[in-house]
Amino acid sequence: MNSRNFILSIFGFFLYFAVQVFVLKNVVLFGTAFSFLYVIYILIFPIEVKTIPLMIISFIMGFSIDMFYDTLGMHTASLVLVAFLRKSWLNVHTPTGGFDDNTPPTVLNMGFGWFLTYALPLLFIHHLTFFFIDYIGSDYYLLVIIRTFSSVVFTFMLGIVTQMLFYKKKRGI
Amino acid sequence: MQRILLFLYSLRVFIIFIALETIAIWLIVSYNSPQGAVFFNSSNHITGNFLETRENVTGYFTLGIANEGLAEKNAELLTRLEYLTHPRDSAYIDLDSAFASAHEFRSAKVINNSIRFNQNHITLNKGRRHGVREGMGVFNEQGVIGRVKGVTNNFSTVISLLHTELLLSSKIKASDVFGSTKWDGKNPTQAKLLYVPRHVRVNKGDTVITSGYNAIFPEGINIGIVDEVGSGPETNYLDITINLTTDFSRLTFVYLVENVMQVELDSLNRASEIINE
């Protein structure tokens, strides 16, 4: 990771965090579709970053968001899980010819088809974990399924739009 | 020995993953226990200040609704004041202090709120410095909102009525039948009234109010209107759905109520070994 990417990553951390807790916290479509855009930040983190630093970044990110959501530990647990699974999923899901150096796996760099199959399962795991922890103690499991599916779709679409608008091709974030 | 260390080193990612997840789960569990740590949530100093700054900006958009609510409350209080004013042509005796009010009221402003999860919390801009204590009731001119969970110097966190583990002692106004209001996590405008026995006649449109039994709220604050009465899966109790009178999506100014005789009441209950909820 070169110094430019490093600085942009730190900047991106605060930007995603601020947008999540001040804007997207209040955006819930139809009462079921939540937008957890900060997961996209972890998903499109530069590939050469190892799992351990990524998990620590996820932990800090999840914990800060939890403080504002009053859901202590819930975002943290699900985001660390995503960070843990990301490396193995990337290894399974390598495109032909491998990854280029210093290229974040964004939709612009990798193509829509690849990004769809890469992001959807991880988003699904994150949302399912989150809503399952939230559900413990109540008895409407159907709500977990509905919320998970609608939120995955909503977060994914927001993620695509964000990358289209604010990211450049073949350049770090 | 070296082999063991090498083996552990090859598992380092997994070990750190387990460690981080354990911390996260510990946080979830400790926060959801009744005596949960209050430091790491939206009422701590840094988070509270951020939220208050945001509320200072976005608060202007809801001023109209806030004013309407306050005006409504004022009108209601003026009507009540009319009853209490003594006409000049009659004599009055001051009653014994046994009839003195047991409740004290304070006001606060909502700076953070959520309604879409199963466990929703609200943050208020008043804290210990302003006299807020753990366990105080929170309501506004529409109805009950929740109970204070944690207090820091300048902010406090409230368990919303929209929290699947909060039970609120309540009664039906028309028949004085007691029950407990509990949110089922489905719809932020509706809740369930539990433990109303089958032989009671409950009509659609009956008002549900606080009972004053759990000593958090005074008697008679609105909770909801009965929407549906069914037989339900439990054999002994009715399945009652109520429409909440409070619009949780538009909370601005709220009132906090403290029962000044709570300590006395609690020690009495403890002395006579009564568990009161």
Side-chain angles (χ1 to χ4, degrees), chain A residues 43-101:
Chain A
L43 289 186
I44 61 179
F45 219 76
I47 288 169
E48 65 270 19
V49 175
K50 294 277 191 298
T51 309
I52 293 176
L54 192 69
M55 284 199 297
I56 290 165
I57 293 168
S58 303
F59 187 85
I60 298 168
M61 176 73 122
F63 189 74
S64 340
I65 286 173
D66 271 330
M67 293 218 285
F68 279 80
Y69 267 73
D70 274 323
T71 52
L72 202 62
M74 285 161 62
H75 285 108
T76 318
S78 21
L79 198 61
V80 169
L81 181 65
V82 167
F84 175 68
L85 294 174
R86 188 182 97 127
K87 191 77 184 173
S88 336
W89 182 234
L90 275 173
N91 285 341
V92 176
H93 205 55
T94 314
T96 40
F99 296 105
D100 297 336
D101 285 344

Short mmCIF file of all heavy atoms in Angstrom, two decimals, chain A residues 43-101:
data_model
loop_
_atom_site.label_atom_id
_atom_site.label_comp_id
_atom_site.label_asym_id
_atom_site.label_seq_id
_atom_site.Cartn_x
_atom_site.Cartn_y
_atom_site.Cartn_z
N LEU A 43 -15.18 -3.74 2.09
CA LEU A 43 -15.15 -4.63 0.93
C LEU A 43 -14.16 -4.15 -0.12
O LEU A 43 -13.48 -4.95 -0.75
CB LEU A 43 -16.55 -4.73 0.31
CG LEU A 43 -17.60 -5.52 1.10
CD1 LEU A 43 -18.86 -5.65 0.29
CD2 LEU A 43 -17.07 -6.89 1.45
N ILE A 44 -14.11 -2.82 -0.36
CA ILE A 44 -13.23 -2.34 -1.42
C ILE A 44 -11.91 -1.80 -0.89
O ILE A 44 -11.24 -1.01 -1.52
CB ILE A 44 -13.93 -1.26 -2.29
CG1 ILE A 44 -14.31 -0.06 -1.44
CG2 ILE A 44 -15.15 -1.83 -2.97
CD1 ILE A 44 -14.99 1.02 -2.24
N PHE A 45 -11.52 -2.27 0.31
CA PHE A 45 -10.21 -1.93 0.84
C PHE A 45 -9.15 -2.57 -0.08
O PHE A 45 -9.37 -3.63 -0.62
CB PHE A 45 -10.08 -2.48 2.26
CG PHE A 45 -9.38 -1.55 3.18
CD1 PHE A 45 -10.02 -0.44 3.68
CD2 PHE A 45 -8.06 -1.79 3.54
CE1 PHE A 45 -9.37 0.43 4.53
CE2 PHE A 45 -7.40 -0.91 4.40
CZ PHE A 45 -8.07 0.19 4.88
N PRO A 46 -7.99 -1.89 -0.28
CA PRO A 46 -6.96 -2.47 -1.16
C PRO A 46 -6.67 -3.93 -0.81
O PRO A 46 -6.57 -4.28 0.36
CB PRO A 46 -5.74 -1.58 -0.88
CG PRO A 46 -6.31 -0.27 -0.52
CD PRO A 46 -7.61 -0.57 0.18
N ILE A 47 -6.49 -4.75 -1.85
CA ILE A 47 -6.40 -6.19 -1.66
C ILE A 47 -5.15 -6.60 -0.89
O ILE A 47 -5.19 -7.54 -0.09
CB ILE A 47 -6.43 -6.89 -3.04
CG1 ILE A 47 -7.84 -6.79 -3.59
CG2 ILE A 47 -6.02 -8.34 -2.94
CD1 ILE A 47 -7.94 -7.20 -5.01
N GLU A 48 -4.04 -5.86 -1.07
CA GLU A 48 -2.80 -6.31 -0.45
C GLU A 48 -2.78 -6.14 1.08
O GLU A 48 -1.87 -6.62 1.74
CB GLU A 48 -1.60 -5.57 -1.07
CG GLU A 48 -1.57 -4.08 -0.83
CD GLU A 48 -2.31 -3.30 -1.90
OE1 GLU A 48 -3.12 -3.92 -2.61
OE2 GLU A 48 -2.08 -2.08 -2.02
N VAL A 49 -3.79 -5.50 1.64
CA VAL A 49 -3.85 -5.37 3.10
C VAL A 49 -4.19 -6.73 3.70
O VAL A 49 -5.11 -7.40 3.27
CB VAL A 49 -4.91 -4.33 3.51
CG1 VAL A 49 -5.06 -4.28 5.01
CG2 VAL A 49 -4.51 -2.97 2.99
N LYS A 50 -3.40 -7.12 4.72
CA LYS A 50 -3.59 -8.43 5.34
C LYS A 50 -4.87 -8.47 6.20
O LYS A 50 -5.44 -7.43 6.53
CB LYS A 50 -2.38 -8.74 6.23
CG LYS A 50 -1.09 -8.92 5.47
CD LYS A 50 -1.00 -10.35 4.92
CE LYS A 50 0.38 -10.64 4.37
NZ LYS A 50 0.76 -9.78 3.23
N THR A 51 -5.28 -9.67 6.55
CA THR A 51 -6.54 -9.83 7.27
C THR A 51 -6.49 -9.21 8.67
O THR A 51 -7.47 -8.61 9.11
CB THR A 51 -6.88 -11.32 7.39
OG1 THR A 51 -6.81 -11.88 6.09
CG2 THR A 51 -8.28 -11.51 7.92
N ILE A 52 -5.35 -9.35 9.37
CA ILE A 52 -5.29 -8.86 10.74
C ILE A 52 -5.46 -7.33 10.83
O ILE A 52 -6.32 -6.85 11.56
CB ILE A 52 -4.00 -9.33 11.45
CG1 ILE A 52 -4.06 -10.84 11.62
CG2 ILE A 52 -3.83 -8.66 12.80
CD1 ILE A 52 -2.82 -11.44 12.21
N PRO A 53 -4.69 -6.54 10.04
CA PRO A 53 -4.96 -5.09 10.07
C PRO A 53 -6.38 -4.75 9.67
O PRO A 53 -7.02 -3.89 10.28
CB PRO A 53 -3.97 -4.52 9.04
CG PRO A 53 -2.95 -5.55 8.85
CD PRO A 53 -3.54 -6.86 9.19
N LEU A 54 -6.91 -5.49 8.69
CA LEU A 54 -8.27 -5.22 8.23
C LEU A 54 -9.29 -5.49 9.33
O LEU A 54 -10.24 -4.72 9.52
CB LEU A 54 -8.59 -6.07 7.00
CG LEU A 54 -9.86 -5.65 6.27
CD1 LEU A 54 -9.66 -4.31 5.60
CD2 LEU A 54 -10.27 -6.69 5.25
N MET A 55 -9.06 -6.57 10.10
CA MET A 55 -9.99 -6.88 11.19
C MET A 55 -9.93 -5.79 12.27
O MET A 55 -10.95 -5.44 12.85
CB MET A 55 -9.66 -8.24 11.80
CG MET A 55 -10.12 -9.39 10.94
SD MET A 55 -10.26 -10.95 11.83
CE MET A 55 -8.58 -11.23 12.31
N ILE A 56 -8.71 -5.28 12.51
CA ILE A 56 -8.59 -4.24 13.54
C ILE A 56 -9.28 -2.96 13.07
O ILE A 56 -10.01 -2.31 13.83
CB ILE A 56 -7.11 -4.01 13.90
CG1 ILE A 56 -6.61 -5.24 14.66
CG2 ILE A 56 -6.94 -2.77 14.75
CD1 ILE A 56 -5.14 -5.34 14.77
N ILE A 57 -9.10 -2.62 11.77
CA ILE A 57 -9.80 -1.46 11.23
C ILE A 57 -11.31 -1.66 11.35
O ILE A 57 -12.05 -0.77 11.77
CB ILE A 57 -9.41 -1.23 9.75
CG1 ILE A 57 -7.94 -0.83 9.67
CG2 ILE A 57 -10.28 -0.17 9.12
CD1 ILE A 57 -7.38 -0.87 8.28
N SER A 58 -11.78 -2.88 11.01
CA SER A 58 -13.21 -3.18 11.10
C SER A 58 -13.71 -3.03 12.52
O SER A 58 -14.81 -2.52 12.76
CB SER A 58 -13.49 -4.60 10.65
OG SER A 58 -13.03 -4.81 9.38
N PHE A 59 -12.89 -3.50 13.45
CA PHE A 59 -13.31 -3.43 14.85
C PHE A 59 -13.50 -1.97 15.27
O PHE A 59 -14.52 -1.61 15.87
CB PHE A 59 -12.25 -4.09 15.74
CG PHE A 59 -12.67 -4.22 17.16
CD1 PHE A 59 -13.43 -5.31 17.57
CD2 PHE A 59 -12.34 -3.26 18.10
CE1 PHE A 59 -13.84 -5.43 18.87
CE2 PHE A 59 -12.74 -3.37 19.40
CZ PHE A 59 -13.49 -4.47 19.80
N ILE A 60 -12.53 -1.12 14.91
CA ILE A 60 -12.63 0.29 15.29
C ILE A 60 -13.84 0.93 14.61
O ILE A 60 -14.63 1.65 15.24
CB ILE A 60 -11.34 1.04 14.91
CG1 ILE A 60 -10.15 0.45 15.68
CG2 ILE A 60 -11.46 2.52 15.22
CD1 ILE A 60 -8.81 0.91 15.17
N MET A 61 -14.00 0.65 13.33
CA MET A 61 -15.13 1.20 12.56
C MET A 61 -16.47 0.76 13.18
O MET A 61 -17.34 1.57 13.47
CB MET A 61 -15.03 0.73 11.11
CG MET A 61 -16.18 1.15 10.24
SD MET A 61 -16.13 2.89 9.85
CE MET A 61 -16.09 2.86 8.09
N GLY A 62 -16.60 -0.55 13.40
CA GLY A 62 -17.85 -1.09 13.94
C GLY A 62 -18.14 -0.52 15.31
O GLY A 62 -19.27 -0.12 15.62
N PHE A 63 -17.09 -0.42 16.13
CA PHE A 63 -17.28 0.08 17.48
C PHE A 63 -17.72 1.54 17.49
O PHE A 63 -18.63 1.91 18.23
CB PHE A 63 -15.97 -0.09 18.26
CG PHE A 63 -16.09 0.18 19.71
CD1 PHE A 63 -16.71 -0.73 20.54
CD2 PHE A 63 -15.60 1.35 20.25
CE1 PHE A 63 -16.84 -0.49 21.88
CE2 PHE A 63 -15.72 1.61 21.60
CZ PHE A 63 -16.34 0.69 22.42
N SER A 64 -17.09 2.36 16.62
CA SER A 64 -17.48 3.78 16.59
C SER A 64 -18.93 3.92 16.13
O SER A 64 -19.68 4.75 16.65
CB SER A 64 -16.59 4.59 15.67
OG SER A 64 -15.38 3.95 15.43
N ILE A 65 -19.32 3.11 15.14
CA ILE A 65 -20.69 3.21 14.65
C ILE A 65 -21.68 2.72 15.70
O ILE A 65 -22.74 3.31 15.90
CB ILE A 65 -20.83 2.44 13.32
CG1 ILE A 65 -20.14 3.25 12.22
CG2 ILE A 65 -22.27 2.20 12.95
CD1 ILE A 65 -20.03 2.59 10.92
N ASP A 66 -21.29 1.68 16.42
CA ASP A 66 -22.15 1.15 17.49
C ASP A 66 -22.48 2.20 18.54
O ASP A 66 -23.59 2.26 19.06
CB ASP A 66 -21.47 -0.03 18.18
CG ASP A 66 -21.80 -1.33 17.49
OD1 ASP A 66 -22.90 -1.41 16.93
OD2 ASP A 66 -20.99 -2.25 17.53
N MET A 67 -21.48 3.04 18.86
CA MET A 67 -21.71 4.06 19.89
C MET A 67 -22.83 5.00 19.47
O MET A 67 -23.64 5.42 20.29
CB MET A 67 -20.44 4.86 20.14
CG MET A 67 -19.38 4.02 20.75
SD MET A 67 -18.43 4.91 21.97
CE MET A 67 -17.42 5.95 20.99
N PHE A 68 -22.88 5.31 18.19
CA PHE A 68 -23.90 6.24 17.72
C PHE A 68 -25.24 5.54 17.51
O PHE A 68 -26.28 6.17 17.60
CB PHE A 68 -23.45 6.91 16.42
CG PHE A 68 -22.50 8.04 16.66
CD1 PHE A 68 -21.17 7.80 16.92
CD2 PHE A 68 -22.96 9.34 16.68
CE1 PHE A 68 -20.29 8.84 17.17
CE2 PHE A 68 -22.08 10.39 16.92
CZ PHE A 68 -20.76 10.13 17.16
N TYR A 69 -25.21 4.26 17.20
CA TYR A 69 -26.46 3.53 16.97
C TYR A 69 -27.05 3.00 18.28
O TYR A 69 -28.15 2.47 18.27
CB TYR A 69 -26.19 2.35 16.04
CG TYR A 69 -26.42 2.63 14.57
CD1 TYR A 69 -25.53 3.41 13.87
CD2 TYR A 69 -27.52 2.12 13.91
CE1 TYR A 69 -25.71 3.66 12.53
CE2 TYR A 69 -27.72 2.37 12.56
CZ TYR A 69 -26.81 3.13 11.88
OH TYR A 69 -27.00 3.37 10.55
N ASP A 70 -26.30 3.07 19.37
CA ASP A 70 -26.71 2.44 20.63
C ASP A 70 -26.95 0.95 20.48
O ASP A 70 -27.86 0.38 21.08
CB ASP A 70 -27.98 3.10 21.19
CG ASP A 70 -27.63 4.32 22.02
OD1 ASP A 70 -26.61 4.26 22.72
OD2 ASP A 70 -28.36 5.31 21.97
N THR A 71 -26.16 0.32 19.63
CA THR A 71 -26.30 -1.12 19.44
C THR A 71 -24.97 -1.76 19.79
O THR A 71 -24.33 -2.35 18.95
CB THR A 71 -26.61 -1.44 17.97
OG1 THR A 71 -25.61 -0.79 17.18
CG2 THR A 71 -27.97 -0.98 17.56
N LEU A 72 -24.50 -1.57 21.01
CA LEU A 72 -23.12 -1.89 21.34
C LEU A 72 -22.73 -3.31 20.96
O LEU A 72 -23.36 -4.26 21.36
CB LEU A 72 -22.89 -1.66 22.83
CG LEU A 72 -21.43 -1.45 23.15
CD1 LEU A 72 -20.92 -0.21 22.47
CD2 LEU A 72 -21.23 -1.34 24.62
N GLY A 73 -21.68 -3.44 20.13
CA GLY A 73 -21.13 -4.74 19.77
C GLY A 73 -21.75 -5.36 18.53
O GLY A 73 -21.15 -6.25 17.94
N MET A 74 -22.92 -4.93 18.13
CA MET A 74 -23.60 -5.61 17.02
C MET A 74 -22.94 -5.33 15.68
O MET A 74 -22.65 -6.25 14.92
CB MET A 74 -25.08 -5.21 16.98
CG MET A 74 -25.88 -5.88 18.07
SD MET A 74 -27.43 -5.08 18.42
CE MET A 74 -28.25 -5.24 16.87
N HIS A 75 -22.68 -4.05 15.36
CA HIS A 75 -21.98 -3.74 14.13
C HIS A 75 -20.55 -4.29 14.18
O HIS A 75 -20.03 -4.77 13.19
CB HIS A 75 -21.92 -2.23 13.91
CG HIS A 75 -23.22 -1.64 13.46
ND1 HIS A 75 -23.99 -0.86 14.28
CD2 HIS A 75 -23.89 -1.74 12.30
CE1 HIS A 75 -25.07 -0.50 13.63
NE2 HIS A 75 -25.04 -1.01 12.43
N THR A 76 -19.93 -4.21 15.37
CA THR A 76 -18.56 -4.69 15.52
C THR A 76 -18.47 -6.17 15.17
O THR A 76 -17.64 -6.57 14.36
CB THR A 76 -18.09 -4.49 16.97
OG1 THR A 76 -18.54 -3.21 17.42
CG2 THR A 76 -16.61 -4.58 17.09
N ALA A 77 -19.34 -6.97 15.76
CA ALA A 77 -19.27 -8.42 15.55
C ALA A 77 -19.47 -8.76 14.09
O ALA A 77 -18.71 -9.56 13.52
CB ALA A 77 -20.34 -9.11 16.41
N SER A 78 -20.46 -8.14 13.45
CA SER A 78 -20.73 -8.53 12.06
C SER A 78 -19.66 -8.01 11.11
O SER A 78 -19.32 -8.68 10.14
CB SER A 78 -22.12 -8.07 11.62
OG SER A 78 -22.60 -7.03 12.40
N LEU A 79 -19.09 -6.82 11.40
CA LEU A 79 -18.08 -6.28 10.49
C LEU A 79 -16.76 -7.04 10.59
O LEU A 79 -16.10 -7.29 9.58
CB LEU A 79 -17.87 -4.79 10.76
CG LEU A 79 -17.20 -4.02 9.64
CD1 LEU A 79 -18.04 -4.07 8.39
CD2 LEU A 79 -16.96 -2.57 10.02
N VAL A 80 -16.39 -7.44 11.81
CA VAL A 80 -15.16 -8.22 11.98
C VAL A 80 -15.30 -9.55 11.26
O VAL A 80 -14.35 -10.04 10.64
CB VAL A 80 -14.84 -8.41 13.48
CG1 VAL A 80 -13.76 -9.44 13.68
CG2 VAL A 80 -14.43 -7.10 14.11
N LEU A 81 -16.50 -10.12 11.30
CA LEU A 81 -16.74 -11.38 10.58
C LEU A 81 -16.51 -11.20 9.08
O LEU A 81 -15.87 -12.02 8.42
CB LEU A 81 -18.17 -11.85 10.85
CG LEU A 81 -18.58 -13.17 10.20
CD1 LEU A 81 -17.76 -14.31 10.77
CD2 LEU A 81 -20.06 -13.43 10.40
N VAL A 82 -17.01 -10.10 8.53
CA VAL A 82 -16.82 -9.83 7.10
C VAL A 82 -15.34 -9.68 6.78
O VAL A 82 -14.83 -10.26 5.81
CB VAL A 82 -17.58 -8.56 6.68
CG1 VAL A 82 -17.14 -8.09 5.32
CG2 VAL A 82 -19.07 -8.82 6.67
N ALA A 83 -14.61 -8.94 7.63
CA ALA A 83 -13.18 -8.72 7.39
C ALA A 83 -12.42 -10.04 7.43
O ALA A 83 -11.47 -10.26 6.67
CB ALA A 83 -12.62 -7.75 8.43
N PHE A 84 -12.85 -10.94 8.33
CA PHE A 84 -12.20 -12.24 8.45
C PHE A 84 -12.42 -13.09 7.21
O PHE A 84 -11.52 -13.76 6.72
CB PHE A 84 -12.73 -12.95 9.69
CG PHE A 84 -12.23 -14.35 9.86
CD1 PHE A 84 -10.89 -14.59 10.15
CD2 PHE A 84 -13.09 -15.43 9.74
CE1 PHE A 84 -10.43 -15.87 10.30
CE2 PHE A 84 -12.62 -16.72 9.88
CZ PHE A 84 -11.29 -16.95 10.16
N LEU A 85 -13.65 -13.05 6.67
CA LEU A 85 -13.99 -13.90 5.55
C LEU A 85 -13.49 -13.35 4.21
O LEU A 85 -13.40 -14.08 3.24
CB LEU A 85 -15.51 -14.10 5.49
CG LEU A 85 -16.12 -14.88 6.64
CD1 LEU A 85 -17.63 -14.87 6.52
CD2 LEU A 85 -15.60 -16.31 6.64
N ARG A 86 -13.17 -12.04 4.18
CA ARG A 86 -12.91 -11.40 2.90
C ARG A 86 -11.74 -12.04 2.15
O ARG A 86 -11.82 -12.32 0.96
CB ARG A 86 -12.63 -9.91 3.11
CG ARG A 86 -12.53 -9.13 1.81
CD ARG A 86 -12.21 -7.69 2.07
NE ARG A 86 -10.78 -7.46 1.93
CZ ARG A 86 -10.25 -6.53 1.14
NH1 ARG A 86 -11.03 -5.73 0.46
NH2 ARG A 86 -8.95 -6.38 1.08
N LYS A 87 -10.63 -12.27 2.89
CA LYS A 87 -9.44 -12.79 2.22
C LYS A 87 -9.70 -14.14 1.56
O LYS A 87 -9.35 -14.35 0.39
CB LYS A 87 -8.31 -12.92 3.26
CG LYS A 87 -6.97 -13.20 2.66
CD LYS A 87 -6.39 -11.92 2.08
CE LYS A 87 -5.07 -12.20 1.39
NZ LYS A 87 -4.59 -10.98 0.69
N SER A 88 -10.34 -15.04 2.30
CA SER A 88 -10.60 -16.37 1.75
C SER A 88 -11.53 -16.26 0.55
O SER A 88 -11.35 -16.96 -0.46
CB SER A 88 -11.24 -17.28 2.80
OG SER A 88 -10.94 -16.84 4.08
N TRP A 89 -12.53 -15.39 0.66
CA TRP A 89 -13.48 -15.22 -0.43
C TRP A 89 -12.77 -14.65 -1.66
O TRP A 89 -13.03 -15.07 -2.79
CB TRP A 89 -14.62 -14.34 0.02
CG TRP A 89 -15.70 -14.13 -1.00
CD1 TRP A 89 -16.19 -12.95 -1.43
CD2 TRP A 89 -16.43 -15.13 -1.71
NE1 TRP A 89 -17.16 -13.13 -2.36
CE2 TRP A 89 -17.34 -14.48 -2.57
CE3 TRP A 89 -16.41 -16.54 -1.74
CZ2 TRP A 89 -18.21 -15.14 -3.42
CZ3 TRP A 89 -17.27 -17.20 -2.59
CH2 TRP A 89 -18.16 -16.51 -3.41
N LEU A 90 -11.83 -13.72 -1.45
CA LEU A 90 -11.07 -13.17 -2.58
C LEU A 90 -10.21 -14.24 -3.24
O LEU A 90 -10.06 -14.28 -4.46
CB LEU A 90 -10.18 -12.02 -2.10
CG LEU A 90 -10.82 -10.63 -2.02
CD1 LEU A 90 -9.86 -9.67 -1.38
CD2 LEU A 90 -11.22 -10.15 -3.40
N ASN A 91 -9.62 -15.14 -2.40
CA ASN A 91 -8.79 -16.21 -2.96
C ASN A 91 -9.61 -17.14 -3.83
O ASN A 91 -9.17 -17.56 -4.89
CB ASN A 91 -8.14 -17.02 -1.82
CG ASN A 91 -7.00 -16.24 -1.19
OD1 ASN A 91 -6.49 -15.31 -1.80
ND2 ASN A 91 -6.66 -16.61 0.02
N VAL A 92 -10.81 -17.46 -3.38
CA VAL A 92 -11.69 -18.33 -4.16
C VAL A 92 -12.11 -17.62 -5.44
O VAL A 92 -12.25 -18.23 -6.50
CB VAL A 92 -12.93 -18.70 -3.32
CG1 VAL A 92 -13.91 -19.53 -4.13
CG2 VAL A 92 -12.52 -19.45 -2.08
N HIS A 93 -12.28 -16.31 -5.32
CA HIS A 93 -12.97 -15.56 -6.35
C HIS A 93 -12.02 -14.74 -7.21
O HIS A 93 -12.39 -13.69 -7.72
CB HIS A 93 -13.98 -14.64 -5.65
CG HIS A 93 -15.12 -14.26 -6.52
ND1 HIS A 93 -15.91 -15.18 -7.14
CD2 HIS A 93 -15.61 -13.06 -6.89
CE1 HIS A 93 -16.83 -14.56 -7.84
NE2 HIS A 93 -16.67 -13.28 -7.72
N THR A 94 -10.77 -15.21 -7.37
CA THR A 94 -9.80 -14.46 -8.16
C THR A 94 -10.20 -14.48 -9.65
O THR A 94 -10.52 -15.54 -10.19
CB THR A 94 -8.40 -15.08 -8.03
OG1 THR A 94 -8.16 -15.34 -6.65
CG2 THR A 94 -7.34 -14.15 -8.56
N PRO A 95 -10.18 -13.31 -10.30
CA PRO A 95 -10.50 -13.30 -11.72
C PRO A 95 -9.35 -13.92 -12.52
O PRO A 95 -8.24 -14.04 -12.02
CB PRO A 95 -10.65 -11.81 -12.04
CG PRO A 95 -9.86 -11.11 -11.01
CD PRO A 95 -9.92 -11.96 -9.78
N THR A 96 -9.60 -14.33 -13.75
CA THR A 96 -8.53 -14.92 -14.56
C THR A 96 -7.42 -13.89 -14.75
O THR A 96 -7.66 -12.75 -15.12
CB THR A 96 -9.06 -15.34 -15.95
OG1 THR A 96 -9.97 -14.32 -16.39
CG2 THR A 96 -9.76 -16.66 -15.89
N GLY A 97 -6.18 -14.31 -14.49
CA GLY A 97 -5.06 -13.38 -14.59
C GLY A 97 -4.72 -12.74 -13.26
O GLY A 97 -3.75 -12.00 -13.18
N GLY A 98 -5.48 -13.00 -12.22
CA GLY A 98 -5.17 -12.47 -10.90
C GLY A 98 -5.49 -11.00 -10.74
O GLY A 98 -5.96 -10.34 -11.67
N PHE A 99 -5.18 -10.50 -9.55
CA PHE A 99 -5.43 -9.09 -9.26
C PHE A 99 -4.22 -8.25 -9.65
O PHE A 99 -3.09 -8.72 -9.56
CB PHE A 99 -5.70 -8.90 -7.77
CG PHE A 99 -6.93 -9.58 -7.29
CD1 PHE A 99 -6.86 -10.75 -6.55
CD2 PHE A 99 -8.19 -9.05 -7.56
CE1 PHE A 99 -8.01 -11.37 -6.10
CE2 PHE A 99 -9.33 -9.67 -7.11
CZ PHE A 99 -9.24 -10.84 -6.38
N ASP A 100 -4.44 -7.02 -10.06
CA ASP A 100 -3.33 -6.10 -10.28
C ASP A 100 -2.89 -5.53 -8.94
O ASP A 100 -3.67 -5.45 -8.00
CB ASP A 100 -3.77 -4.94 -11.18
CG ASP A 100 -4.16 -5.45 -12.56
OD1 ASP A 100 -3.68 -6.53 -12.93
OD2 ASP A 100 -4.96 -4.77 -13.23
N ASP A 101 -1.61 -5.13 -8.89
CA ASP A 101 -1.12 -4.51 -7.65
C ASP A 101 -1.75 -3.14 -7.47
O ASP A 101 -2.02 -2.43 -8.43
CB ASP A 101 0.41 -4.36 -7.71
CG ASP A 101 1.07 -5.71 -7.52
OD1 ASP A 101 0.36 -6.63 -7.03
OD2 ASP A 101 2.25 -5.85 -7.87
#
